[in-house]
Amino acid sequence: MILAAGLGTRLRPLTDDRPKALVEVAGRTLLELTLARFRAAGICEVIINTHHFADMIAEYLRAHQNFGMHIEISYEEVLLDTGGGLKRAAPFFLDSDEPFLVHNVDVLSTIDFDRMLLFHREHKGLATLAVQDRPTSRYLLFDENNFLCGRRAGLTGESELVRPVAEPRALAFSGIHILSPRIFSVMEEEGTFSVIPMYLRLAGQMEPVLGFPADQYYWRDLGRPEYIAEASGEISEGVYLG
């Protein structure tokens, strides 16, 4: 699943006349770059949630014959946030017991999906989040076995723990996660909601919500115009070869 429904507020003025999924980096849209990563990993069935300039995304996919993939659209009349958007798309996943990948459209990375899936299977994960040791305003906290145990955010930097841990590691979420379909059976939240509070609730109930260490991989937030410019330069210089 590609999460692409957001308003792209941080990307203005680039999103004044288009959805963030169609903002270009080095001549390629964010959506094309994400789909190319999926294809390279052998993923050929994709659902994309849309809202802001949704018709433009649908027309773009038609014009490119869905990039040779089976793509469905989950249109949201009202923005449902990451958790609500995922729950709305549940029917797309419930015919299989295989884990699936969820990816923000506004991140670029070389994170190895195969290794992440192996990690998810080996740890019998309900949810596995790609995380890195880098600065962020909102940290997730993990124990020595890579289980989610809390978060740290805000100006005070106070920690909120949902399961006991002596020395938690504060890591940044990358916007890339692998989920088991069982997630829908434990998803109590309704309407518009974020996945992060849901993950914290589940971790507090001792569900296996894990952090996949991804420090060795290239990762770039594409949520601001200056980040787009930086990523374009990195692509031109061969730093990113996706």
Side-chain angles (χ1 to χ4, degrees), residues 132-215:
Q132 295 179 318
D133 184 6
R134 55 177 170 78
T136 183
S137 59
R138 295 173 292 180
Y139 286 101
L140 295 179
L141 305 177
F142 296 85
D143 66 17
E144 67 278 8
N145 295 314
N146 298 306
F147 286 97
L148 179 65
C149 58
R151 64 178 166 183
R152 180 185 302 155
L155 297 176
T156 62
E158 293 183 3
S159 296
E160 172 193 345
L161 293 178
V162 296
R163 57 196 293 176
V165 58
E167 296 182 3
R169 291 179 298 142
L171 300 171
F173 177 41
S174 72
I176 299 170
H177 21 165
I178 289 179
L179 306 176
S180 295
R182 187 171 69 84
I183 193 78
F184 297 112
S185 68
V186 295
M187 195 180 283
E188 300 174 354
E189 293 79 2
E190 298 287 348
T192 300
F193 64 96
S194 167
V195 291
I196 297 302
M198 180 187 73
Y199 288 156
L200 289 165
R201 175 181 63 79
L202 293 170
Q205 296 171 358
M206 306 307 289
E207 290 281 5
V209 181
L210 304 156
F212 171 73
D215 287 327

Side-chain angles (χ1 to χ4, degrees), residues 2-8 20 48-52 57 74 76 79-81 105:
I2 298 176
L3 299 176
L7 299 177
K20 63 181 176 180
I48 304 170
N49 72 333
T50 63
H51 171 77
H52 186 55
I57 294 178
S74 176
E76 299 174 10
L79 276 174
L80 297 174
D81 208 338
V105 77

Side-chain angles (χ1 to χ4, degrees), residues 40-239:
I43 298 169
C44 59
E45 293 182 274
V46 181
I47 188 166
I48 304 170
N49 72 333
T50 63
H51 171 77
H52 186 55
F53 290 113
D55 290 345
M56 292 182 68
I57 294 178
E59 177 55 35
Y60 175 78
L61 291 169
R62 281 194 295 269
H64 291 83
Q65 291 79 50
N66 285 346
F67 293 91
M69 307 169 77
H70 175 79
I71 297 178
E72 295 192 23
I73 296 292
S74 176
Y75 173 66
E76 299 174 10
E77 292 186 6
V78 177
L79 276 174
L80 297 174
D81 208 338
T82 50
L86 175 63
K87 188 167 188 175
R88 181 183 178 88
F92 185 80
F93 302 104
L94 292 178
D95 287 341
S96 171
D97 60 359
E98 291 296 310
F100 59 93
L101 179 70
V102 179
H103 197 297
N104 289 2
V105 77
D106 56 356
V107 299
L108 187 68
S109 86
T110 59
I111 290 173
D112 189 325
F113 300 149
D114 288 333
R115 288 190 61 184
M116 190 172 168
L117 176 60
L118 180 62
F119 179 93
H120 178 84
R121 292 187 188 280
E122 287 179 341
H123 292 80
K124 297 179 173 57
L126 174 66
T128 298
L129 288 60
V131 292
Q132 295 179 318
D133 184 6
R134 55 177 170 78
T136 183
S137 59
R138 295 173 292 180
Y139 286 101
L140 295 179
L141 305 177
F142 296 85
D143 66 17
E144 67 278 8
N145 295 314
N146 298 306
F147 286 97
L148 179 65
C149 58
R151 64 178 166 183
R152 180 185 302 155
L155 297 176
T156 62
E158 293 183 3
S159 296
E160 172 193 345
L161 293 178
V162 296
R163 57 196 293 176
V165 58
E167 296 182 3
R169 291 179 298 142
L171 300 171
F173 177 41
S174 72
I176 299 170
H177 21 165
I178 289 179
L179 306 176
S180 295
R182 187 171 69 84
I183 193 78
F184 297 112
S185 68
V186 295
M187 195 180 283
E188 300 174 354
E189 293 79 2
E190 298 287 348
T192 300
F193 64 96
S194 167
V195 291
I196 297 302
M198 180 187 73
Y199 288 156
L200 289 165
R201 175 181 63 79
L202 293 170
Q205 296 171 358
M206 306 307 289
E207 290 281 5
V209 181
L210 304 156
F212 171 73
D215 287 327
Q216 69 269 42
Y217 302 107
Y218 170 91
W219 182 89
R220 165 70 70 182
D221 174 11
L222 299 176
R224 297 183 184 277
E226 59 268 29
Y227 300 163
I228 296 287
E230 291 168 2
S232 295
E234 290 167 347
I235 291 173
S236 299
E237 294 165 5
V239 176

